[in-house]
Amino acid sequence: MNIGIIGAGTMGVGIAQVAATAGCRVVLFDANAPQIDKALTGLEKTLQKLAEKGKISQEKATEIRNNIVKGEALQDLKDSDLVIEAIIENKDIKTKVFTELETHVSENCIIGSNTSSISITSLGAELKKPERFIGIHFFNPAPLMPLVEVIPSLLTEKTLPEKIYNLMKDWGKTPVIAKDIPGFIVNRIARPYYGEALRIVEENIATPEQIDEAMKTLGNFKMGPFELMDLIGVDVNFAVTTTVYKDYFYDPKYKPSLLQQRMSEAKLHGRKTGKGFYDYSEGAVKPEAQKDDALYQQIFLRIISMLINEAVEAKRLGVANDEDIELAMQKGVNYQKGLLAWGKEIGYSKISETLHNLYNEYQEERYRQSPLLRKL
């Protein structure tokens, strides 16, 4: 297949690598031309390291690199069978690119967006042929993370999701099909992992170190919520939360954190700026968590209950089937088990009781239970 990629940032070049590894011919385009050279130079180094470590052969490394060519203009994507956009999370900018792209590509070309939070229906509605438009959401880093969310819009041609689902399998990915709702599967269900952790800190119940330690030791999460926000980017995480909150018509469940907003304003964005919830400057020592077993249990049960409630609500609303909900959280954010299975293991009645107590304490809609939770 001929694949076009718009955007030569980390996601764009990562998706290009995935497609090129699968034997596709890829044209990589970015409006900022020097960014393409920078991305391809970085890719060459990555491929060389993989070859040196024996992960791929030298021949394969050369083949992958040769499968990717630089696009000088958007019209260089004219022969593409599929174009995937991976640019800034801004609806107006994306829409402008799609409407111009449509004037260059053939009528049979599929157009996809890697957006993590913008409505696929709203993006595709501006096209002359919205039926060819679909969400194809990779996770960062695209070559390593197996999950791809395939999201049809209300206007997407009915057989297209299955075509993209099968293509992603051919590319060695684990695809899931999701409804076009804010946050899709992963970014919707995972919101309490960050939001509830931030809430606990804002209330002076525990420190970021204690919360991270509690979730890692009791939940076997690979990274605590604050470590993960620092890795993703505090500003990026805040932007996704804000978009989901707005798109759900300001549902209190997804209310952003004032602390996170202030940190974004202060440019305390995490690893990329050298400081976030933790200090990453040279010689900085990570503070030790003051261990408190009872507090750790309280933290874990509060956050996991919110996560499981979101998964149950996604099941109730048919956001995806049970298997895809479980797969998405395991493959997209590395949860050690699916949340529906986790709820069964802890006991849905225990989760229900925890949320009931939180609701009584705070009198906030944030802690309302999914109607399905009480029945499980």
Side-chain angles (χ1 to χ4, degrees):
M1 286 182 77
N2 291 325
I3 305 295
I5 304 291
I6 303 173
T10 305
M11 284 305 299
V13 75
I15 297 167
Q17 182 185 334
V18 171
T21 303
C24 298
R25 179 182 174 275
V26 181
V27 178
L28 181 63
F29 169 74
D30 195 297
N32 176 17
Q35 178 59 36
I36 308 175
D37 295 322
K38 183 182 172 185
L40 291 175
T41 300
L43 177 60
E44 283 166 11
K45 289 177 183 173
T46 298
L47 293 171
Q48 195 54 49
K49 281 179 188 172
L50 290 171
E52 286 168 5
K53 290 177 181 176
K55 300 280 179 73
I56 56 173
S57 66
Q58 190 61 58
E59 291 75 22
K60 185 65 178 176
T62 304
E63 179 197 321
I64 294 168
R65 176 60 189 89
N66 290 342
N67 279 345
I68 304 173
V69 296
K70 179 180 175 181
E72 303 287 344
L74 206 54
Q75 65 198 50
D76 290 345
L77 276 60
K78 65 183 188 302
D79 296 326
S80 301
D81 301 304
L82 165 66
V83 175
I84 301 174
E85 162 275 317
I87 63 172
I88 187 170
E89 282 288 274
N90 179 295
K91 187 194 167 190
D92 293 337
I93 295 172
K94 286 181 190 287
T95 302
K96 189 178 176 186
V97 169
F98 292 138
T99 47
E100 186 189 339
L101 175 69
E102 209 173 22
T103 65
H104 300 302
V105 297
S106 75
E107 289 214 343
N108 297 322
C109 176
I110 300 163
I111 301 174
S113 174
N114 183 59
T115 180
S116 60
S117 58
I118 300 172
S119 159
I120 301 302
T121 300
S122 71
L123 289 173
E126 305 298 324
L127 297 180
K128 288 176 185 171
K129 285 194 70 181
E131 64 271 18
R132 60 147 114 204
F133 188 77
I134 193 163
I136 309 173
H137 180 219
F138 290 77
F139 287 74
N140 195 23
L144 297 179
M145 295 299 284
L147 187 73
V148 177
E149 292 177 321
V150 178
I151 311 109
S153 81
L154 292 179
L155 304 168
T156 301
E157 197 269 315
K158 297 303 177 200
T159 64
L160 187 53
E162 190 178 354
K163 282 180 191 169
I164 299 300
Y165 182 94
N166 291 331
L167 177 64
M168 292 302 107
K169 277 198 155 182
D170 291 344
W171 286 9
K173 292 299 177 183
T174 303
V176 293
I177 295 179
K179 265 188 183 176
D180 183 20
I181 53 116
F184 315 131
I185 303 174
V186 173
N187 277 324
R188 175 198 163 118
I189 294 176
R191 299 271 45 89
Y193 193 61
Y194 317 107
E196 205 56 27
L198 285 158
R199 180 72 181 259
I200 292 167
V201 167
E202 286 177 330
E203 293 178 0
N204 288 317
I205 292 169
T207 64
E209 307 90 70
Q210 287 176 315
I211 295 168
D212 282 350
E213 193 70 16
M215 298 313 289
K216 287 191 292 184
T217 54
L218 298 179
N220 283 325
F221 286 90
K222 290 187 178 176
M223 296 181 81
F226 295 96
E227 292 171 329
L228 195 49
M229 281 186 276
D230 275 358
L231 179 65
I232 294 166
V234 174
D235 57 328
V236 173
N237 188 270
F238 176 67
V240 173
T241 301
T242 304
T243 300
V244 171
Y245 180 54
K246 179 173 170 284
D247 287 356
Y248 271 115
F249 305 110
Y250 306 101
D251 186 329
K253 279 202 298 182
Y254 308 107
K255 189 177 179 181
S257 156
L258 187 58
L259 169 61
Q260 199 175 27
Q261 181 179 21
R262 290 290 175 265
M263 290 188 67
S264 298
E265 291 166 348
K267 295 186 169 39
L268 296 171
H269 296 165
R271 288 176 183 267
K272 63 186 176 184
T273 57
K275 196 170 184 183
F277 291 103
Y278 298 106
D279 190 345
Y280 300 93
S281 55
E282 196 176 336
V285 179
K286 190 175 177 180
E288 285 280 320
Q290 189 177 340
K291 195 166 182 196
D292 182 329
D293 290 336
L295 177 62
Y296 281 17
Q297 283 287 348
Q298 180 191 338
I299 292 165
F300 170 70
L301 192 56
R302 181 167 166 174
I303 294 174
I304 202 69
S305 295
M306 294 289 279
L307 286 168
I308 290 166
N309 189 48
E310 276 302 312
V312 170
E313 183 67 348
K315 170 188 169 76
R316 184 181 80 90
L317 297 175
V319 171
N321 63 40
D322 287 12
E323 184 186 353
D324 281 1
I325 288 171
E326 298 293 71
L327 256 182
M329 302 314 290
Q330 289 174 285
K331 301 293 186 182
V333 275
N334 287 321
Y335 287 9
Q336 61 143 340
K337 62 185 88 171
L339 288 167
L340 298 175
W342 217 335
K344 201 176 286 185
E345 186 182 295
I346 294 170
Y348 283 121
S349 59
K350 181 72 174 171
I351 303 302
S352 179
E353 181 193 348
T354 301
L355 292 170
H356 177 74
N357 291 339
L358 286 165
Y359 188 88
N360 281 346
E361 182 178 349
Y362 292 101
Q363 295 292 297
E364 285 184 48
E365 281 295 297
R366 175 188 188 88
Y367 299 107
R368 72 181 186 272
Q369 297 181 48
S370 168
L372 180 59
L373 183 64
R374 298 174 193 270
K375 299 174 185 175
L376 293 173

